[in-house]
Amino acid sequence: MIEFYLLIAALTFLVLYFAVKKLTLNIDEKALLEPIKAELYPKFCDYIDEKIKELREDLENEHFKLLEEDKKGEFLEKLGDLSRELTFIQTMNLSKKNDSIWQNELFNFLKELENLILKYLKESERISENLRQDLMQEFERLKNS
């Protein structure tokens, strides 16, 4: 009878041992993959900055029209400010591996960019929607690469 209890105890120990080992391997694997995932955000910031530069160029090449033509300099200056703000966000968060910090910072930044477009440009809804779709596609591409 004692041998039976020892056998059950040994089997229970083995099951518990392998369960803990599997759990720690999963945790280690996630920890190794997380820094790779965090590299997505600086690349995404670079892409957003390219889009801001494209907005500037499109306005200077008159692909977009302003609601008030005399506000061109002001709009271009605000785009420059946003570009510098994006560089600041990227630099300050470069060492942070926390997704929620990056997502919060970028969400607020993109909302600010959208508000700027809505305030200054004609056909702003269409321009904002195209930009939003383009950024979503790029983010998905970066996530999956």
Side-chain angles (χ1 to χ4, degrees), residues 108-125:
N108 291 334
F109 177 83
L110 291 172
K111 193 67 181 158
E112 194 175 337
L113 177 60
E114 182 178 25
N115 288 337
L116 189 66
I117 291 169
L118 293 173
K119 181 178 176 181
Y120 284 94
L121 297 179
K122 290 182 180 178
E123 298 183 43
S124 57
E125 291 291 331

Side-chain angles (χ1 to χ4, degrees), residues 73-133:
E74 184 178 318
F75 180 66
L76 290 173
E77 184 179 327
K78 290 189 184 279
L79 282 177
D81 292 345
L82 280 179
S83 185
R84 285 185 289 283
E85 182 180 336
L86 182 61
T87 301
F88 179 76
I89 290 170
Q90 191 174 6
T91 304
M92 292 304 294
N93 293 318
L94 205 52
S95 64
K96 296 177 183 159
K97 308 296 185 204
N98 188 330
D99 280 350
S100 62
I101 292 173
W102 275 103
Q103 289 171 4
N104 186 43
E105 293 277 343
L106 289 175
F107 177 79
N108 291 334
F109 177 83
L110 291 172
K111 193 67 181 158
E112 194 175 337
L113 177 60
E114 182 178 25
N115 288 337
L116 189 66
I117 291 169
L118 293 173
K119 181 178 176 181
Y120 284 94
L121 297 179
K122 290 182 180 178
E123 298 183 43
S124 57
E125 291 291 331
R126 178 186 58 80
I127 295 166
S128 289
E129 182 60 30
N130 289 343
L131 180 61
R132 195 176 308 115
Q133 291 297 322

Side-chain angles (χ1 to χ4, degrees), residues 43-94:
K43 290 178 184 175
F44 189 56
C45 286
D46 290 339
Y47 188 78
I48 295 170
D49 199 37
E50 287 176 31
K51 289 295 164 186
I52 292 172
K53 288 175 185 167
E54 283 180 21
L55 275 173
R56 288 181 72 99
E57 290 170 8
D58 285 345
L59 183 64
E60 289 172 350
N61 295 329
E62 299 184 5
H63 293 124
F64 296 141
K65 299 289 182 203
L66 290 165
L67 290 172
E68 299 175 43
E69 286 300 320
D70 61 329
K71 302 276 184 166
K72 183 176 182 177
E74 184 178 318
F75 180 66
L76 290 173
E77 184 179 327
K78 290 189 184 279
L79 282 177
D81 292 345
L82 280 179
S83 185
R84 285 185 289 283
E85 182 180 336
L86 182 61
T87 301
F88 179 76
I89 290 170
Q90 191 174 6
T91 304
M92 292 304 294
N93 293 318
L94 205 52

